[in-house]
Amino acid sequence: MKIRNLTLADANEFVITHHRHNKKVQGHKFSIGIVEDGFLVGVAIIGRPVSRHMDDGVTAEITRLCVLDDSPKNSCSFLYRAAWRAWSAMGGERIITYTLESESGSSLKGAGAKVVAISPAWKEGTGWTTRSNREWQPVHSESKIRWEISR
């Protein structure tokens, strides 16, 4: 497996086509992909933290991670670690991401991430989703687990 830099458009196209429950993102700091035998098999999109309280200049958030069902074993962990190495090389001190409560997080554990918080589920029409530029999705009705890799 090899890591490759991606444009946001290319990473979003992959997410739109292959992600189970999330849509494309609006912006990023950088995006990376895994190439295996000349084919893109997974992507990670890394941006500013969605929570303005976490946006301290040294924290990045993996806002999307998506791999093909038949991607090589440990592809997700490989992408999480590559994202952390890239962010750390740019002076970043921590990288965060969220999983649904129903997801095991085994790839994050394999990448060395630790659970640091749990965000409760939201009801439609409450919280940040009331902003006109945000669209409520069914995934918002499930609690989220925040994971962190840091120095």
Side-chain angles (χ1 to χ4, degrees):
M1 292 187 291
K2 293 185 178 179
I3 292 293
R4 176 179 112 175
N5 186 44
L6 295 175
T7 65
L8 180 58
D10 288 342
N12 268 334
E13 181 180 327
F14 191 93
V15 167
I16 290 165
T17 305
H18 302 290
H19 202 285
R20 290 187 320 260
H21 57 75
N22 276 327
K23 300 178 180 183
K24 68 179 186 170
V25 299
Q26 294 300 312
H28 76 155
K29 285 186 176 284
F30 64 96
S31 294
I32 56 175
I34 296 178
V35 176
E36 178 77 4
D37 296 327
F39 293 98
L40 185 63
V41 299
V43 302
I45 302 174
I46 299 86
R48 292 172 51 195
V50 174
S51 168
R52 68 178 184 265
H53 303 294
M54 309 240 6
D55 192 5
D56 57 8
V58 295
T59 302
E61 181 174 336
I62 300 169
T63 54
R64 295 289 183 277
L65 189 128
C66 179
V67 299
L68 298 179
D69 290 338
D70 61 351
S71 65
K73 187 176 180 180
N74 299 320
S75 293
C76 291
S77 294
F78 190 77
L79 276 169
Y80 284 125
R81 286 304 298 172
W84 166 243
R85 282 192 309 273
W87 179 240
S88 181
M90 289 186 255
E93 295 181 6
R94 70 180 171 165
I95 198 163
I96 61 171
T97 194
Y98 294 83
T99 58
L100 298 174
E101 193 172 41
S102 61
E103 297 171 324
S104 72
S106 59
S107 296
L108 283 153
K109 291 173 191 170
K114 305 286 188 231
V115 172
V116 293
I118 298 176
S119 299
W122 296 23
K123 293 185 167 92
E124 187 171 1
T126 65
W128 61 263
T129 55
T130 59
R131 287 183 34 196
S132 63
N133 65 339
R134 304 283 174 114
E135 181 180 334
W136 187 87
Q137 300 174 47
V139 70
H140 295 144
S141 64
E142 190 172 339
S143 294
K144 315 294 182 298
I145 299 170
R146 186 170 74 225
W147 298 80
E148 179 180 302
I149 302 174
S150 59
R151 296 179 191 239

